[in-house]
Amino acid sequence: MLESGFCKYVVISYGHNAVSSDSMTTMLMTLGQDEEAFGHFGATGSYALAAQRAMYEFNTGPETWKHIAVGQRKWANLNPLAMTYNRTMSYDDYMNARWLVEPFRLFDNCLVSDGGRAYIVTSAERARDLKHRPVIIAGLGQHNPADFPQSATFLAGPTGAQIAGEAALRMAGITRDDIDACQIYDCFTYTVEITLQDYGFFKPGEGTDWFQGGTIEPGGSMPVNTSGGQLSEAYFMGLTPITEGVMQLMGRCGERQLGPQTGTKAPENILCSDNGGILQCNTTIILRRA
Amino acid sequence: MTMYAKPIPKINEDSRPFWGGCKVHELRFQKCNQCGHVRWPPAIICPECHGKDTVWITAAGHGRVYTYVVYHIAYHPGFKGELPYVVAVVELHEGPRIFTNIIGCSTEEVYCDMAVEVVWDDVTTELTLPKFRPVK
Ligand SMILES: [Zn+2]
């Protein structure tokens, strides 16, 4: 649309009053069909089914997921916009939180938020004249394995992230080693693990080691979800990860800005993911500093 | 008579033979006459070969737990008295995987690939739910 001249600027937005209305709960509670008769509801239950199968197939579980919940919270504590800005989280806080749908405890679940996000897409040529340093969409990949959760064969991976990630890197003309940070759709902690695993950052089950020692945290070698993400900043669907990727590359992230001040690499390429249904679709976008 | 307090299946023309089977304690699934694939959920064409020639078969009621979760929160008030309870995806020997509950054991005893068999729960005069228990 932009290249052909149909439009000059496209606003992509998301807004929701998910806390102050019952619309999110209503949507989640009516997702299912016959499974409600057995007491199975919403996204937490189905992602927990996926996580349980992953625990069985490879070495994962709360000892891996606690690094994701706690690591992202550390980023949120640097982000005044985050819903959890003033609340720190320790590994004990994670482990002592109540079960919701086992194997998921409270902090394996994302937040529910009132608010919104928007970003503007235009041609690279027009972007050069704008106030802020632009960010280039360098690569894009999509893969949608689509099956119903009860018949899905991808709950423990590979999810759509594998093929979508390869396609996005190929289009961007880079390899995984060129990625400086990731903004991963994180409806649940396990979603972060399986998505990074399917991108190839570690082999199945090696996440337990990979996340050790603050890999994804401030000061870490592969920062992930640097706003706090959906787990600790706010849930605005795919716009939580992508707007953070854009803001980081523009250098507009204040205290949490990637680079020397957070003991991380100044980013050139950031990988962002979006995910739909119960791991049924994946979109991967590589953003690049202009 | 007290009202049944839990959600009931959203039965449609595709799934009516399945739920009708449950009432007489039979697990019925569609089988493709072209490629032999046994499918769930029901559909007018085979997801494997797109064949339309379909026959309903009765499964023996044996399978394994593909995956499961333990609910510690009641998202619907009808399940408050059941906590904690197990929701599982059971893979039947004939192939289909269905949502169900695992009963007849503690929540800690359930594991992936556990052998299970169907047990019928006549919850109302109109509705029977296929649940599963460990094979002794
Ligand atoms: Zn067929």
Side-chain angles (χ1 to χ4, degrees), chain A residues 29-42 44-54 56-57 98-104 109 148-156, chain B residues 4 6-12 15 18-19 40-41 64-73 75-76 79 85-89 97-101 107 111-113 127 129-131:
Chain A
M29 290 304 115
T30 52
L31 266 184
Q33 282 284 326
D34 303 338
E35 59 266 36
E36 293 173 9
F38 300 100
H40 188 60
F41 300 94
T44 304
S46 285
Y47 275 90
L49 284 170
Q52 182 82 260
R53 184 69 197 180
Y56 178 70
E57 289 193 13
R98 67 183 190 276
W99 293 115
L100 292 184
V101 182
E102 196 181 337
F104 284 162
N109 289 254
F148 293 101
Q150 74 268 35
S151 41
T153 53
F154 49 78
L155 296 181
Chain B
Y4 183 61
K6 293 171 183 162
I8 59 168
K10 297 167 186 167
I11 298 171
N12 57 34
S15 65
F18 175 84
W19 291 106
W40 181 261
R64 64 178 180 123
V65 173
Y66 180 73
T67 187
Y68 71 98
V69 291
V70 184
Y71 274 75
H72 294 267
I73 178 173
Y75 289 110
H76 184 285
F79 289 93
Y85 64 92
V86 174
V87 170
V89 173
R97 288 198 208 139
I98 61 170
F99 280 113
T100 186
N101 299 124
T107 59
Y111 58 93
C112 290
D113 280 353
L127 178 65
L129 296 175
K131 298 185 176 178

Side-chain angles (χ1 to χ4, degrees), chain B residues 48-71:
Chain B
E48 293 297 316
C49 75
H50 298 176
K52 282 185 182 163
D53 186 6
T54 299
V55 64
W56 284 85
I57 59 145
T58 300
H62 284 84
R64 64 178 180 123
V65 173
Y66 180 73
T67 187
Y68 71 98
V69 291
V70 184
Y71 274 75

Side-chain angles (χ1 to χ4, degrees), chain A residues 22-278:
Chain A
D22 62 2
S23 54
M24 180 67 94
T25 320
T26 305
M27 186 274 283
L28 289 171
M29 290 304 115
T30 52
L31 266 184
Q33 282 284 326
D34 303 338
E35 59 266 36
E36 293 173 9
F38 300 100
H40 188 60
F41 300 94
T44 304
S46 285
Y47 275 90
L49 284 170
Q52 182 82 260
R53 184 69 197 180
M55 287 172 70
Y56 178 70
E57 289 193 13
F58 56 84
N59 180 32
T60 188
E63 288 297 329
T64 302
W65 306 330
K66 72 180 184 185
H67 294 289
I68 297 167
V70 170
Q72 292 191 203
R73 181 60 63 87
K74 287 183 185 172
W75 285 113
N77 294 150
L78 301 174
N79 176 10
L81 285 177
M83 290 172 73
T84 65
Y85 177 53
N86 291 316
R87 277 177 280 160
T88 58
M89 190 199 297
S90 67
Y91 293 133
D92 283 345
D93 292 336
Y94 170 87
M95 285 295 186
N96 293 332
R98 67 183 190 276
W99 293 115
L100 292 184
V101 182
E102 196 181 337
F104 284 162
R105 294 176 168 87
L106 178 65
F107 297 127
D108 291 303
N109 289 254
C110 69
L111 299 161
V112 178
S113 311
D114 279 354
R117 285 289 148 83
Y119 61 96
I120 296 170
V121 186
T122 188
S123 66
E125 195 187 344
R126 278 198 193 86
R128 266 184 228 115
D129 302 327
L130 297 177
K131 182 176 155 197
H132 293 288
R133 173 202 290 274
V135 170
I136 305 296
I137 300 170
L140 184 63
Q142 197 168 44
H143 190 64
N144 308 318
D147 252 0
F148 293 101
Q150 74 268 35
S151 41
T153 53
F154 49 78
L155 296 181
T159 63
Q162 188 179 66
I163 288 172
E166 285 166 6
L169 287 168
R170 202 180 315 123
M171 188 188 289
I174 59 173
T175 69
R176 199 172 50 240
D177 296 340
D178 300 311
I179 299 296
D180 302 310
C182 293
Q183 312 295 344
I184 303 296
Y185 181 94
D186 54 329
C187 48
F188 300 94
T189 50
Y190 169 67
T191 317
V192 177
E193 181 195 12
I194 194 65
T195 305
L196 290 169
Q197 180 172 297
D198 288 342
Y199 286 141
F201 285 100
F202 46 84
K203 291 195 173 65
E206 291 179 359
T208 303
D209 295 331
W210 191 82
F211 285 104
Q212 291 274 350
T215 307
I216 68 168
E217 299 173 8
S221 57
M222 182 52 69
V224 173
N225 295 347
T226 52
S227 69
Q230 298 166 342
L231 294 172
S232 275
E233 187 203 21
Y235 184 84
F236 299 128
M237 294 213 175
L239 270 73
T240 301
I242 203 165
T243 54
E244 176 66 7
V246 170
M247 292 286 280
Q248 284 287 358
L249 290 164
M250 284 180 165
R252 297 167 66 189
C253 283
E255 223 190 320
R256 70 181 190 279
Q257 180 62 49
L258 291 170
Q261 76 177 69
T262 51
T264 54
K265 208 177 148 200
E268 293 292 325
N269 294 293
I270 294 183
L271 182 155
C272 303
S273 79
D274 197 359
N275 166 72
I278 310 301

